[in-house]
Each structure stands twice: as structure tokens, then as C-alpha cells.
Amino acid sequence: MRNLTLMTDEDRWLAVLARDPRADDQFVFAVQTTGIFCRPSCRARHALRKNVRFYPDAHHAVQAGFRPCKRCMPDKCDPQAQKLAKVEHACRLLEQDPALTLEKLAQQVAMSPYHFHRLFKSVTGMTPKAWQQAARGQRLRTALAQGDKITDAVLAAGFPDSSSYYRKANDALGMTAKQYRKGDAAVRYAIDNCALGRCLVAESERGICAILLGDTDAQLMEELATVFPNAEHAPLDDDFVQRIHQVIASIDNRSVPLALPLDIRGTAFQQRVWQALRTIPCGETASYQQVAQAIGQPNAVRAVAGACAANTLAIVIPCHRVVRNDGALSGYRWGTARKALLLKREAKRREG
């Protein structure tokens, strides 16, 4: 099937029925009843064989009077890249105009609202509306962290007025802006040694909100500032020291459960991913694809990877147990060397 000159029309038809991606650069097929031509791997419903014609490439199909399929984009060199570019463009448009409707957004990227909605959700893991709300919430958090007045921060984030923000406060922050700002200021942290290097532990009034790993204290404090810019280095009173020791003990030995309350902050999608990660047994791994399937969104692999990268509770939320489909280690927020060490340690514990 790799050599076009050796393929008969029957060979090509079998490739179309199998939706074989290896045949995509060998030919295109056109359907006379619809006037559309596709790649062999196109996921659209198959036409009757008697209505199908084969052409060596998109150029010949166009010359014969057929239009390219908007789903598989057989006239594009890399259809997946084209789809990702459409979603990236849509995200930028949503940032520029928070009031943009689905219909107008789909029109901007030359797709039907239905197909665009499905594409956007498969790539980002959320609907355009949910993404818009999450982006607005992130802008609000950033503005509040920079010290902007609450009303100014609300308007700068994209809320049409302060009253509409207060009606949707829980969607944006999970609390009022005043509570959020107070909570950020109430975050305190300390740094200590652990088996994986230096470890920063931060807590809010609601529980442990960050466990970061690194090689230097400066690196850890810089990373914490991106999440909690107003966090303060706390004096080590007895109670705080005891809680830090509990966290370190749990990190150094996963047989020691962490019984402290956690303050887990993230979008609804991230929360679902992190919950799925916590169900992966110690000593086992899962692929990004498997995690996406576990949360009911098998096409949201990139979004799952993004949620893993956004995790700020090292080891407690075990994003280190997620690997590529071939089992190879992928990126890890705190370095692939630590990821390899963690997986090796957990595998030995399971064998023991």
C-alpha cells in the first residue's frame, strides 16, 4: 500500500473502508453524489462504492470539479496543524472579545458552529464558553494579584459590569474577589530538604495549597510567586513545622499517607484530571490518552497534558505517573530525572 503504482482501485477502496492513515499521501477519493473529496482516513460515513472515484491528489480532484472535505481537509498539507491553528486563533479572538458568540466565532474560523464546537472541545477539553469563563477568571486573578482595585480588576477581566461579576463570582474564583485577595495574602510557606532535593510547602487557611520541588530556594520562591504572588515566608512555629514534616514524610515515603487538608485550586477541567490522577495506583502508570478517556473526553489529550503541567501539589497529585503512549517519560514540571526516580521508587515498593 505504500507504492501508489501497485495499488488497484480495489486496494484503494479497502484502504478507505479501513480509514488507513498510511494511504493519505497516496490518493484521495471523491463521492459523486455529494461533490466532495476526502482523504482515505476521513471519519465521515462511507459512501456507496459505485459513487466513489479515486484521484492521485487534491489537485486532480479539484480539476474534476470536486470540493475538499471540511472535516479531513485533503487539500491541506497537515490537517491536524490546520485544526490546531483554528483553535488557537479562536482562543485569541475570545481573549480580545469576551462577548463573542459561538456563531460569530465559528464564522471567523470558517467552520460551522457544530463542527467548530466539537473541534474546540476535543483540543482544549472544554467548550468555548467554559474556556472563555476560565480565561476571564485567570485575568481576574492576575489583576487582583497585581494589586488592582477590585472594580478595575473586574472590568479589565472582561466582565461587563461589577454586578454581573458578583452574580458569577463562584464561576470565576470560587469566592468573592475580596476573599480571594485575602486568601492569597494569607498563604505562607517554608522550604526544607526532602529525598528529591529542596521542597517548598505552602498553606492557606484551607489547607496545603502548594508542594514544589527544586534544586534551589530561589527557584522555588520564583515558581511560587507565579501562583501566589503575595505568599509570605512564615516563621516556623511548632504547628507549622509539624505539618511541613508530615508533608516531607509523605513525599519521602509514599506508604505514609498525607492526612492534612488540601486547598486544591484549578479550573473544573483541571480538577477532573487531577482527581483521575489520584486514582492511578502507586507503582503503576497511565498514558495521557488513558487519562483523557477516564474523564470521558478521549480527544482532550493535549488539555490533559496541560492540566498535569499546571499541578502545584507534587506527588500528592501524582502527575509523575502519566507517561506517553509508548511508555516513555514525557515532560515533568520538576524535571524528568525526578520523574524517573519517583517511578522507579514506586515500582520497587510495589514489587516488595
Side-chain angles (χ1 to χ4, degrees), residues 261-310:
L262 301 176
D263 180 3
I264 303 176
R265 307 186 187 192
T267 65
F269 179 81
Q270 289 172 337
Q271 298 269 9
R272 288 167 56 201
V273 172
W274 296 338
Q275 182 58 40
L277 299 186
R278 299 183 77 181
T279 66
I280 304 173
C282 182
E284 297 183 15
T285 59
S287 69
Y288 294 101
Q289 180 71 63
Q290 289 172 324
V291 175
Q293 291 171 341
I295 64 172
Q297 294 186 221
N299 294 321
V301 177
R302 286 176 177 268
V304 166
C308 291

Side-chain angles (χ1 to χ4, degrees), residues 150-204:
I150 291 177
T151 300
D152 293 342
V154 167
L155 296 177
F159 291 93
D161 51 60
S162 57
S163 61
S164 65
Y165 156 70
Y166 285 111
R167 288 195 302 270
K168 301 178 180 179
N170 288 337
D171 291 337
L173 299 175
M175 63 189 80
T176 68
K178 188 174 182 180
Q179 289 172 327
Y180 178 85
R181 178 170 282 167
K182 179 182 178 182
D184 188 8
V187 171
R188 61 177 183 169
Y189 70 92
I191 303 175
D192 203 349
N193 287 316
C194 72
L196 298 166
R198 298 291 281 169
C199 177
L200 183 150
V201 180
E203 69 171 7
S204 69

Side-chain angles (χ1 to χ4, degrees), residues 214-288:
D215 299 318
T216 67
D217 292 7
Q219 171 192 353
L220 291 171
M221 289 187 290
E222 183 178 348
E223 184 176 359
L224 181 68
T226 64
V227 186
F228 300 109
N230 296 322
E232 297 182 350
H233 193 282
L236 296 177
D237 61 68
D238 292 342
D239 290 340
F240 191 32
V241 168
Q242 185 178 10
R243 288 193 292 276
I244 291 175
H245 286 170
Q246 284 181 258
V247 173
I248 299 295
S250 181
I251 290 175
D252 288 348
N253 186 352
R254 291 303 287 148
S255 63
V256 178
L258 182 61
L260 296 173
L262 301 176
D263 180 3
I264 303 176
R265 307 186 187 192
T267 65
F269 179 81
Q270 289 172 337
Q271 298 269 9
R272 288 167 56 201
V273 172
W274 296 338
Q275 182 58 40
L277 299 186
R278 299 183 77 181
T279 66
I280 304 173
C282 182
E284 297 183 15
T285 59
S287 69
Y288 294 101

